[in-house]
Amino acid sequence: MSLSAAEVAAIAAHPEWLDEADQLALTKKSLIADSAHLRQHCGEFGRAVIEVAAARRSAVSKLPGDWIFSSEAAQQATPFVVALARARRLAHLGVEAVADVTCSIGTEVAAIDHEGLTVVGSDLDLARLAMARHNVGKNIFAQADALQPAFDAPVIVADPARRSGGRRITNPEDLLPSLPALIAAWPDKELAIKCAPGLDFSEWSGEVAVTSVDGAVKEACLYTPGLAGVTDGQSVTRSAMVIQTVDKHRPLELSAVDVQTYDDTMPDDVDVRAAGRYIIDPDGAIVRAGLVRHFAAAHGLWQLDERIAHVSGDVLPQGIAGFEVIEQVGLKQVRKALAALDCGSVEILVRGVDVNPDALRKQWKLKGSRALAVVVTRIGRSATAFICQPREIG
């Protein structure tokens, strides 16, 4: 559900309403009773209070817990840890002022302000602007069209809508606003434009930075050459940022966030050889950015096949998940091998082989008591399977 500007203003003026909602179950089963209870305390704004309270619970590890936003806005918002990492990057580059021209509920603006940069935000949606003003706590927002320049900041941040009619947009020209139109609207500015990671960025002349949080790929950010990372005087064209929080189900805790970055200026000379003690499936951001070899080289690992993302090593790198190998078998021998190991449940990872993990699980008809993992991959022209201990963290 959405919120109106009037509902946002009312909720901001009555923080005790959300305190009351926090005491309720807010489940489908309790919705009627909860709604009646909040109508007694909040009058006509009861529905909106439920919406905000439920949205906060759904985004507990994504956004600050005292913000006002709807469920729809929370789903569309950039995770605050990603926005903060971007803000720190801009600060490190010496950027002093930024304008977020699709600010929505203010995530990027809040992060940039947190880092001490001058920042303003704009959006066409008055309700989202009301949320942003409350969330950031400053009146540094204006209603404006992202394609009609209203600011003179040297750096522009934008997040075109990536879905239309409930479907993911796959063509840069179909983004809202379109990527070409957005670039054309700010010809003399440095840009940081957030996009879906699956788009074709082959013609982009700056840097493509893919980011994941807790193993889930969140975005690709396009940086113009002036904002691209530089190592030994060379512009970076591909990078990956892997962000891990302590627990994705716990409230956002910035001090506990771990950030690892990889880029295509790093060494990528790695061997291709047989599996060692562990199999590692690199984070999705690394795979999407095409930095598997760079990741492997950084951690002393090697590839099983030069065309497949699975890598291996005899030591599990600190903070990285992997699977200790028990045995390697052909795909048709997996069921027998799992039965011999008393396997009753299995995590299945597949790369380079056209099989469905759910279909495999049904075929194997596991009846044992032991939890294991199976990594199905392609080596050369053949499908092979590694039966492994459960996932562990180095």
Side-chain angles (χ1 to χ4, degrees):
M1 294 183 181
S2 60
L3 297 173
S4 69
E7 289 172 331
V8 174
I11 292 173
H14 295 277
E16 70 276 8
W17 289 352
L18 285 169
D19 291 339
E20 188 69 26
D22 286 341
Q23 308 306 312
L24 304 177
L26 300 183
T27 63
K28 290 183 178 179
K29 190 174 182 179
S30 69
L31 183 59
I32 294 177
D34 292 342
S35 297
H37 179 84
L38 287 176
R39 278 197 301 271
Q40 293 178 348
H41 287 79
C42 318
E44 63 180 304
F45 298 103
R47 181 209 67 87
V49 172
I50 287 181
E51 174 64 17
V52 175
R56 283 182 173 182
R57 292 187 188 184
S58 70
V60 64
S61 65
K62 182 178 182 179
L63 299 169
D66 58 349
W67 281 16
I68 292 177
F69 48 84
S70 64
S71 297
E72 180 184 51
Q75 292 171 4
Q76 297 170 349
T78 298
F80 191 70
V81 291
V82 176
L84 189 60
R86 187 175 4 264
R88 289 175 176 171
R89 171 191 175 125
L90 296 176
H92 180 73
L93 290 172
V95 172
E96 296 181 352
V98 181
D100 179 0
V101 297
T102 56
C103 71
S104 187
I105 62 173
T107 310
E108 296 285 344
V109 175
I112 295 168
D113 182 68
H114 182 277
E115 293 304 298
L117 282 66
T118 299
V119 60
V120 292
S122 64
D123 203 288
L124 286 173
D125 190 318
L126 289 175
R128 296 286 177 93
L129 288 170
M131 296 179 212
R133 290 189 184 97
H134 172 271
N135 297 338
V136 179
K138 295 182 178 180
N139 189 17
I140 50 176
F141 298 92
Q143 186 180 31
D145 188 332
L147 299 181
Q148 300 294 324
F151 304 113
D152 195 32
V155 174
I156 303 299
V157 172
D159 187 5
R162 308 171 204 171
R163 288 182 177 273
S164 179
R167 295 185 178 182
R168 190 178 298 277
I169 296 173
T170 58
N171 186 340
E173 294 186 358
D174 294 334
L175 295 173
L176 303 170
S178 79
L179 184 58
L182 192 56
I183 295 170
W186 303 91
D188 301 321
K189 307 294 185 182
E190 297 294 349
L191 305 176
I193 304 175
K194 295 174 280 183
C195 297
L199 300 182
D200 180 6
F201 304 120
S202 58
E203 296 185 7
W204 181 250
S205 60
E207 177 184 349
V208 179
V210 184
T211 301
S212 67
V213 179
D214 294 325
V217 178
K218 297 299 181 181
E219 68 174 34
C221 188
L222 308 186
Y223 292 99
T224 45
L227 297 179
V230 176
T231 303
D232 296 330
Q234 295 183 345
S235 294
V236 178
T237 57
R238 289 178 291 132
S239 66
M241 181 164 57
V242 179
I243 301 176
Q244 296 289 338
T245 63
V246 171
D247 185 339
K248 62 183 179 180
H249 300 296
R250 289 174 55 185
L252 184 63
E253 187 179 349
L254 296 178
S255 62
V257 174
D258 176 59
V259 181
Q260 299 291 326
T261 59
Y262 305 87
D263 63 64
D264 64 359
T265 66
M266 298 171 66
D268 66 347
D269 185 15
V270 296
D271 293 336
V272 177
R273 61 179 192 262
R277 182 177 177 182
Y278 293 97
I279 301 290
I280 296 165
D281 190 40
D283 186 274
I286 293 167
V287 177
R288 292 267 193 169
L291 299 174
V292 171
R293 294 194 311 276
H294 306 76
F295 165 80
H299 297 289
L301 307 171
W302 60 87
Q303 289 184 282
L304 301 175
D305 184 287
E306 61 184 7
R307 295 159 295 184
I308 301 298
H310 287 135
V311 297
S312 185
D314 291 325
V315 177
L316 200 56
Q318 183 176 0
I320 293 175
F323 304 86
E324 186 173 5
V325 176
I326 297 174
E327 63 178 307
Q328 178 178 351
V329 300
L331 193 54
K332 293 182 179 180
Q333 284 73 52
V334 173
R335 178 181 176 182
K336 182 178 179 180
L338 291 176
L341 291 167
D342 190 37
C343 180
S345 62
V346 64
E347 178 180 358
I348 304 173
L349 289 82
V350 178
R351 285 197 183 276
V353 181
D354 187 18
V355 293
N356 184 300
D358 291 333
L360 289 177
R361 194 174 281 105
K362 290 180 180 179
Q363 291 175 13
W364 293 340
K365 299 178 181 179
L366 305 175
K367 298 179 180 179
S369 59
R370 188 178 179 186
L372 295 173
V374 176
V375 179
V376 179
T377 192
R378 179 169 57 82
I379 299 178
R381 296 184 177 180
S382 303
T384 191
F386 293 92
I387 298 175
C388 307
Q389 299 286 2
R391 181 189 296 265
E392 62 178 290
I393 306 292

mmCIF file of all heavy atoms in Angstrom, residues 116-155:
data_model
loop_
_atom_site.group_PDB
_atom_site.id
_atom_site.type_symbol
_atom_site.label_atom_id
_atom_site.label_comp_id
_atom_site.label_asym_id
_atom_site.label_seq_id
_atom_site.Cartn_x
_atom_site.Cartn_y
_atom_site.Cartn_z
ATOM 1 N N GLY A 116 29.025 13.802 5.701
ATOM 2 C CA GLY A 116 29.441 15.193 5.777
ATOM 3 C C GLY A 116 29.495 15.941 4.463
ATOM 4 O O GLY A 116 30.010 17.069 4.408
ATOM 5 N N LEU A 117 28.954 15.373 3.383
ATOM 6 C CA LEU A 117 28.931 16.058 2.097
ATOM 7 C C LEU A 117 27.680 16.945 2.017
ATOM 8 O O LEU A 117 26.670 16.665 2.672
ATOM 9 C CB LEU A 117 28.917 15.058 0.944
ATOM 10 C CG LEU A 117 30.244 14.380 0.562
ATOM 11 C CD1 LEU A 117 30.738 13.487 1.678
ATOM 12 C CD2 LEU A 117 30.076 13.583 -0.728
ATOM 13 N N THR A 118 27.756 17.975 1.205
ATOM 14 C CA THR A 118 26.576 18.788 0.922
ATOM 15 C C THR A 118 25.672 17.995 -0.015
ATOM 16 O O THR A 118 26.129 17.462 -1.027
ATOM 17 C CB THR A 118 26.968 20.114 0.249
ATOM 18 O OG1 THR A 118 27.812 20.847 1.148
ATOM 19 C CG2 THR A 118 25.739 20.938 -0.091
ATOM 20 N N VAL A 119 24.391 17.909 0.295
ATOM 21 C CA VAL A 119 23.500 17.077 -0.506
ATOM 22 C C VAL A 119 22.100 17.662 -0.536
ATOM 23 O O VAL A 119 21.637 18.276 0.430
ATOM 24 C CB VAL A 119 23.463 15.625 0.047
ATOM 25 C CG1 VAL A 119 22.962 15.607 1.493
ATOM 26 C CG2 VAL A 119 22.633 14.714 -0.835
ATOM 27 N N VAL A 120 21.439 17.490 -1.671
ATOM 28 C CA VAL A 120 20.032 17.836 -1.843
ATOM 29 C C VAL A 120 19.354 16.670 -2.542
ATOM 30 O O VAL A 120 20.012 15.840 -3.182
ATOM 31 C CB VAL A 120 19.837 19.132 -2.661
ATOM 32 C CG1 VAL A 120 20.328 20.338 -1.886
ATOM 33 C CG2 VAL A 120 20.549 19.025 -4.015
ATOM 34 N N GLY A 121 18.027 16.597 -2.426
ATOM 35 C CA GLY A 121 17.279 15.522 -3.060
ATOM 36 C C GLY A 121 16.012 16.023 -3.704
ATOM 37 O O GLY A 121 15.444 17.039 -3.280
ATOM 38 N N SER A 122 15.561 15.315 -4.728
ATOM 39 C CA SER A 122 14.307 15.683 -5.385
ATOM 40 C C SER A 122 13.572 14.443 -5.848
ATOM 41 O O SER A 122 14.162 13.383 -6.063
ATOM 42 C CB SER A 122 14.570 16.608 -6.586
ATOM 43 O OG SER A 122 15.318 15.929 -7.583
ATOM 44 N N ASP A 123 12.267 14.599 -6.014
ATOM 45 C CA ASP A 123 11.406 13.516 -6.483
ATOM 46 C C ASP A 123 10.114 14.173 -6.962
ATOM 47 O O ASP A 123 9.812 15.321 -6.609
ATOM 48 C CB ASP A 123 11.124 12.524 -5.356
ATOM 49 C CG ASP A 123 10.739 11.149 -5.870
ATOM 50 O OD1 ASP A 123 9.617 11.009 -6.386
ATOM 51 O OD2 ASP A 123 11.550 10.221 -5.758
ATOM 52 N N LEU A 124 9.341 13.443 -7.748
ATOM 53 C CA LEU A 124 8.045 13.950 -8.190
ATOM 54 C C LEU A 124 6.929 13.614 -7.208
ATOM 55 O O LEU A 124 5.894 14.273 -7.189
ATOM 56 C CB LEU A 124 7.702 13.376 -9.569
ATOM 57 C CG LEU A 124 8.471 13.963 -10.757
ATOM 58 C CD1 LEU A 124 8.142 13.186 -12.032
ATOM 59 C CD2 LEU A 124 8.135 15.437 -10.942
ATOM 60 N N ASP A 125 7.131 12.595 -6.376
ATOM 61 C CA ASP A 125 6.112 12.101 -5.461
ATOM 62 C C ASP A 125 6.147 12.886 -4.152
ATOM 63 O O ASP A 125 7.110 12.805 -3.378
ATOM 64 C CB ASP A 125 6.359 10.614 -5.197
ATOM 65 C CG ASP A 125 5.221 9.942 -4.460
ATOM 66 O OD1 ASP A 125 4.689 10.558 -3.516
ATOM 67 O OD2 ASP A 125 4.874 8.799 -4.817
ATOM 68 N N LEU A 126 5.072 13.631 -3.871
ATOM 69 C CA LEU A 126 5.041 14.468 -2.674
ATOM 70 C C LEU A 126 5.071 13.641 -1.388
ATOM 71 O O LEU A 126 5.654 14.066 -0.384
ATOM 72 C CB LEU A 126 3.800 15.358 -2.697
ATOM 73 C CG LEU A 126 3.818 16.489 -3.737
ATOM 74 C CD1 LEU A 126 2.483 17.225 -3.745
ATOM 75 C CD2 LEU A 126 4.961 17.462 -3.450
ATOM 76 N N ALA A 127 4.442 12.483 -1.392
ATOM 77 C CA ALA A 127 4.439 11.637 -0.199
ATOM 78 C C ALA A 127 5.847 11.116 0.086
ATOM 79 O O ALA A 127 6.295 11.097 1.245
ATOM 80 C CB ALA A 127 3.466 10.481 -0.371
ATOM 81 N N ARG A 128 6.550 10.692 -0.961
ATOM 82 C CA ARG A 128 7.922 10.218 -0.766
ATOM 83 C C ARG A 128 8.813 11.356 -0.253
ATOM 84 O O ARG A 128 9.689 11.143 0.584
ATOM 85 C CB ARG A 128 8.475 9.653 -2.075
ATOM 86 C CG ARG A 128 7.757 8.405 -2.596
ATOM 87 C CD ARG A 128 8.106 7.172 -1.793
ATOM 88 N NE ARG A 128 7.377 5.995 -2.245
ATOM 89 C CZ ARG A 128 7.840 5.125 -3.140
ATOM 90 N NH1 ARG A 128 9.027 5.329 -3.695
ATOM 91 N NH2 ARG A 128 7.134 4.066 -3.488
ATOM 92 N N LEU A 129 8.591 12.561 -0.757
ATOM 93 C CA LEU A 129 9.359 13.704 -0.274
ATOM 94 C C LEU A 129 9.083 13.977 1.201
ATOM 95 O O LEU A 129 9.994 14.318 1.959
ATOM 96 C CB LEU A 129 9.034 14.949 -1.108
ATOM 97 C CG LEU A 129 9.595 14.974 -2.534
ATOM 98 C CD1 LEU A 129 9.005 16.141 -3.312
ATOM 99 C CD2 LEU A 129 11.118 15.067 -2.515
ATOM 100 N N ALA A 130 7.834 13.802 1.613
ATOM 101 C CA ALA A 130 7.492 13.988 3.029
ATOM 102 C C ALA A 130 8.210 12.947 3.890
ATOM 103 O O ALA A 130 8.713 13.256 4.982
ATOM 104 C CB ALA A 130 5.978 13.895 3.216
ATOM 105 N N MET A 131 8.262 11.701 3.398
ATOM 106 C CA MET A 131 8.995 10.661 4.119
ATOM 107 C C MET A 131 10.474 11.020 4.208
ATOM 108 O O MET A 131 11.106 10.881 5.262
ATOM 109 C CB MET A 131 8.832 9.313 3.409
ATOM 110 C CG MET A 131 7.425 8.764 3.359
ATOM 111 S SD MET A 131 7.382 7.176 2.465
ATOM 112 C CE MET A 131 5.750 7.245 1.729
ATOM 113 N N ALA A 132 11.043 11.472 3.092
ATOM 114 C CA ALA A 132 12.466 11.804 3.058
ATOM 115 C C ALA A 132 12.802 12.913 4.045
ATOM 116 O O ALA A 132 13.812 12.854 4.759
ATOM 117 C CB ALA A 132 12.868 12.208 1.635
ATOM 118 N N ARG A 133 11.956 13.948 4.096
ATOM 119 C CA ARG A 133 12.217 15.050 5.029
ATOM 120 C C ARG A 133 12.220 14.555 6.475
ATOM 121 O O ARG A 133 13.056 14.965 7.292
ATOM 122 C CB ARG A 133 11.163 16.150 4.845
ATOM 123 C CG ARG A 133 11.292 16.909 3.532
ATOM 124 C CD ARG A 133 10.372 18.127 3.493
ATOM 125 N NE ARG A 133 10.451 18.786 2.193
ATOM 126 C CZ ARG A 133 9.592 18.603 1.191
ATOM 127 N NH1 ARG A 133 8.556 17.776 1.355
ATOM 128 N NH2 ARG A 133 9.750 19.234 0.047
ATOM 129 N N HIS A 134 11.292 13.677 6.796
ATOM 130 C CA HIS A 134 11.258 13.126 8.149
ATOM 131 C C HIS A 134 12.475 12.246 8.396
ATOM 132 O O HIS A 134 13.119 12.345 9.458
ATOM 133 C CB HIS A 134 9.986 12.300 8.359
ATOM 134 C CG HIS A 134 9.977 11.550 9.658
ATOM 135 N ND1 HIS A 134 10.507 10.274 9.781
ATOM 136 C CD2 HIS A 134 9.538 11.894 10.891
ATOM 137 C CE1 HIS A 134 10.370 9.873 11.024
ATOM 138 N NE2 HIS A 134 9.795 10.829 11.720
ATOM 139 N N ASN A 135 12.800 11.372 7.450
ATOM 140 C CA ASN A 135 13.873 10.399 7.647
ATOM 141 C C ASN A 135 15.239 11.060 7.773
ATOM 142 O O ASN A 135 16.074 10.629 8.572
ATOM 143 C CB ASN A 135 13.871 9.394 6.503
ATOM 144 C CG ASN A 135 12.592 8.576 6.450
ATOM 145 O OD1 ASN A 135 11.882 8.453 7.451
ATOM 146 N ND2 ASN A 135 12.281 8.015 5.291
ATOM 147 N N VAL A 136 15.488 12.078 6.969
ATOM 148 C CA VAL A 136 16.781 12.761 7.000
ATOM 149 C C VAL A 136 16.817 13.826 8.088
ATOM 150 O O VAL A 136 17.870 14.142 8.645
ATOM 151 C CB VAL A 136 17.098 13.375 5.620
ATOM 152 C CG1 VAL A 136 18.430 14.114 5.630
ATOM 153 C CG2 VAL A 136 17.127 12.283 4.542
ATOM 154 N N GLY A 137 15.647 14.372 8.399
ATOM 155 C CA GLY A 137 15.577 15.387 9.441
ATOM 156 C C GLY A 137 16.013 16.759 8.992
ATOM 157 O O GLY A 137 16.320 17.627 9.827
ATOM 158 N N LYS A 138 16.051 16.965 7.684
ATOM 159 C CA LYS A 138 16.440 18.266 7.137
ATOM 160 C C LYS A 138 15.546 18.611 5.959
ATOM 161 O O LYS A 138 15.152 17.716 5.190
ATOM 162 C CB LYS A 138 17.900 18.252 6.674
ATOM 163 C CG LYS A 138 18.918 18.058 7.794
ATOM 164 C CD LYS A 138 20.336 18.113 7.259
ATOM 165 C CE LYS A 138 21.352 17.962 8.382
ATOM 166 N NZ LYS A 138 22.747 18.022 7.868
ATOM 167 N N ASN A 139 15.267 19.886 5.784
ATOM 168 C CA ASN A 139 14.450 20.326 4.651
ATOM 169 C C ASN A 139 15.365 20.653 3.473
ATOM 170 O O ASN A 139 15.551 21.818 3.108
ATOM 171 C CB ASN A 139 13.606 21.535 5.051
ATOM 172 C CG ASN A 139 12.583 21.880 3.979
ATOM 173 O OD1 ASN A 139 12.283 21.068 3.104
ATOM 174 N ND2 ASN A 139 12.059 23.089 4.040
ATOM 175 N N ILE A 140 15.939 19.616 2.881
ATOM 176 C CA ILE A 140 16.867 19.788 1.752
ATOM 177 C C ILE A 140 16.326 19.056 0.519
ATOM 178 O O ILE A 140 17.075 18.520 -0.283
ATOM 179 C CB ILE A 140 18.280 19.279 2.107
ATOM 180 C CG1 ILE A 140 18.211 17.859 2.698
ATOM 181 C CG2 ILE A 140 18.947 20.236 3.094
ATOM 182 C CD1 ILE A 140 19.583 17.258 2.988
ATOM 183 N N PHE A 141 14.992 19.087 0.392
ATOM 184 C CA PHE A 141 14.337 18.363 -0.689
ATOM 185 C C PHE A 141 13.416 19.288 -1.477
ATOM 186 O O PHE A 141 12.888 20.263 -0.939
ATOM 187 C CB PHE A 141 13.521 17.191 -0.126
ATOM 188 C CG PHE A 141 14.353 16.178 0.596
ATOM 189 C CD1 PHE A 141 14.565 16.275 1.960
ATOM 190 C CD2 PHE A 141 14.943 15.135 -0.097
ATOM 191 C CE1 PHE A 141 15.337 15.349 2.632
ATOM 192 C CE2 PHE A 141 15.722 14.195 0.564
ATOM 193 C CZ PHE A 141 15.917 14.313 1.927
ATOM 194 N N ALA A 142 13.232 18.942 -2.747
ATOM 195 C CA ALA A 142 12.345 19.729 -3.604
ATOM 196 C C ALA A 142 11.643 18.798 -4.583
ATOM 197 O O ALA A 142 12.165 17.725 -4.927
ATOM 198 C CB ALA A 142 13.138 20.782 -4.383
ATOM 199 N N GLN A 143 10.453 19.190 -5.029
ATOM 200 C CA GLN A 143 9.753 18.418 -6.050
ATOM 201 C C GLN A 143 10.314 18.821 -7.406
ATOM 202 O O GLN A 143 10.288 19.991 -7.787
ATOM 203 C CB GLN A 143 8.254 18.678 -6.001
ATOM 204 C CG GLN A 143 7.463 17.777 -6.954
ATOM 205 C CD GLN A 143 5.972 18.050 -6.886
ATOM 206 O OE1 GLN A 143 5.553 19.173 -6.634
ATOM 207 N NE2 GLN A 143 5.155 17.007 -7.105
ATOM 208 N N ALA A 144 10.845 17.859 -8.142
ATOM 209 C CA ALA A 144 11.449 18.152 -9.445
ATOM 210 C C ALA A 144 11.538 16.884 -10.270
ATOM 211 O O ALA A 144 11.603 15.771 -9.741
ATOM 212 C CB ALA A 144 12.839 18.766 -9.272
ATOM 213 N N ASP A 145 11.560 17.059 -11.587
ATOM 214 C CA ASP A 145 11.694 15.969 -12.554
ATOM 215 C C ASP A 145 13.174 15.678 -12.756
ATOM 216 O O ASP A 145 13.975 16.584 -12.979
ATOM 217 C CB ASP A 145 11.054 16.405 -13.878
ATOM 218 C CG ASP A 145 10.972 15.283 -14.898
ATOM 219 O OD1 ASP A 145 11.816 14.363 -14.844
ATOM 220 O OD2 ASP A 145 10.078 15.336 -15.760
ATOM 221 N N ALA A 146 13.561 14.407 -12.698
ATOM 222 C CA ALA A 146 14.962 14.026 -12.860
ATOM 223 C C ALA A 146 15.516 14.422 -14.230
ATOM 224 O O ALA A 146 16.735 14.553 -14.387
ATOM 225 C CB ALA A 146 15.124 12.524 -12.657
ATOM 226 N N LEU A 147 14.636 14.608 -15.216
ATOM 227 C CA LEU A 147 15.085 14.962 -16.564
ATOM 228 C C LEU A 147 15.070 16.477 -16.804
ATOM 229 O O LEU A 147 15.379 16.924 -17.913
ATOM 230 C CB LEU A 147 14.199 14.268 -17.613
ATOM 231 C CG LEU A 147 14.212 12.736 -17.579
ATOM 232 C CD1 LEU A 147 13.328 12.177 -18.682
ATOM 233 C CD2 LEU A 147 15.630 12.191 -17.703
ATOM 234 N N GLN A 148 14.716 17.240 -15.782
ATOM 235 C CA GLN A 148 14.705 18.706 -15.891
ATOM 236 C C GLN A 148 15.660 19.256 -14.823
ATOM 237 O O GLN A 148 15.266 19.486 -13.695
ATOM 238 C CB GLN A 148 13.295 19.254 -15.678
ATOM 239 C CG GLN A 148 12.266 18.748 -16.678
ATOM 240 C CD GLN A 148 12.563 19.239 -18.091
ATOM 241 O OE1 GLN A 148 13.027 20.365 -18.279
ATOM 242 N NE2 GLN A 148 12.280 18.399 -19.077
ATOM 243 N N PRO A 149 16.930 19.436 -15.167
ATOM 244 C CA PRO A 149 17.938 19.830 -14.174
ATOM 245 C C PRO A 149 17.515 21.006 -13.305
ATOM 246 O O PRO A 149 17.173 22.082 -13.806
ATOM 247 C CB PRO A 149 19.152 20.183 -15.044
ATOM 248 C CG PRO A 149 19.004 19.304 -16.251
ATOM 249 C CD PRO A 149 17.522 19.265 -16.513
ATOM 250 N N ALA A 150 17.524 20.769 -12.004
ATOM 251 C CA ALA A 150 17.130 21.812 -11.063
ATOM 252 C C ALA A 150 18.243 22.114 -10.067
ATOM 253 O O ALA A 150 18.079 22.984 -9.221
ATOM 254 C CB ALA A 150 15.871 21.364 -10.305
ATOM 255 N N PHE A 151 19.375 21.401 -10.179
ATOM 256 C CA PHE A 151 20.472 21.584 -9.230
ATOM 257 C C PHE A 151 21.781 21.791 -9.986
ATOM 258 O O PHE A 151 21.935 21.380 -11.148
ATOM 259 C CB PHE A 151 20.618 20.356 -8.312
ATOM 260 C CG PHE A 151 19.365 20.008 -7.566
ATOM 261 C CD1 PHE A 151 18.685 18.832 -7.849
ATOM 262 C CD2 PHE A 151 18.867 20.844 -6.581
ATOM 263 C CE1 PHE A 151 17.533 18.487 -7.162
ATOM 264 C CE2 PHE A 151 17.708 20.513 -5.889
ATOM 265 C CZ PHE A 151 17.041 19.338 -6.179
ATOM 266 N N ASP A 152 22.754 22.393 -9.296
ATOM 267 C CA ASP A 152 24.053 22.637 -9.899
ATOM 268 C C ASP A 152 25.154 21.838 -9.219
ATOM 269 O O ASP A 152 26.331 22.170 -9.329
ATOM 270 C CB ASP A 152 24.386 24.137 -9.839
ATOM 271 C CG ASP A 152 25.538 24.501 -10.770
ATOM 272 O OD1 ASP A 152 25.661 23.859 -11.827
ATOM 273 O OD2 ASP A 152 26.336 25.394 -10.412
ATOM 274 N N ALA A 153 24.795 20.783 -8.495
ATOM 275 C CA ALA A 153 25.800 19.948 -7.840
ATOM 276 C C ALA A 153 26.666 19.260 -8.890
ATOM 277 O O ALA A 153 26.175 18.886 -9.968
ATOM 278 C CB ALA A 153 25.116 18.905 -6.960
ATOM 279 N N PRO A 154 27.957 19.074 -8.614
ATOM 280 C CA PRO A 154 28.848 18.451 -9.606
ATOM 281 C C PRO A 154 28.595 16.967 -9.824
ATOM 282 O O PRO A 154 28.988 16.411 -10.849
ATOM 283 C CB PRO A 154 30.243 18.690 -9.025
ATOM 284 C CG PRO A 154 30.017 18.821 -7.549
ATOM 285 C CD PRO A 154 28.692 19.489 -7.400
ATOM 286 N N VAL A 155 27.946 16.299 -8.847
ATOM 287 C CA VAL A 155 27.689 14.861 -8.941
ATOM 288 C C VAL A 155 26.193 14.611 -8.788
ATOM 289 O O VAL A 155 25.556 15.129 -7.868
ATOM 290 C CB VAL A 155 28.468 14.087 -7.862
ATOM 291 C CG1 VAL A 155 28.069 12.609 -7.867
ATOM 292 C CG2 VAL A 155 29.968 14.227 -8.082
#
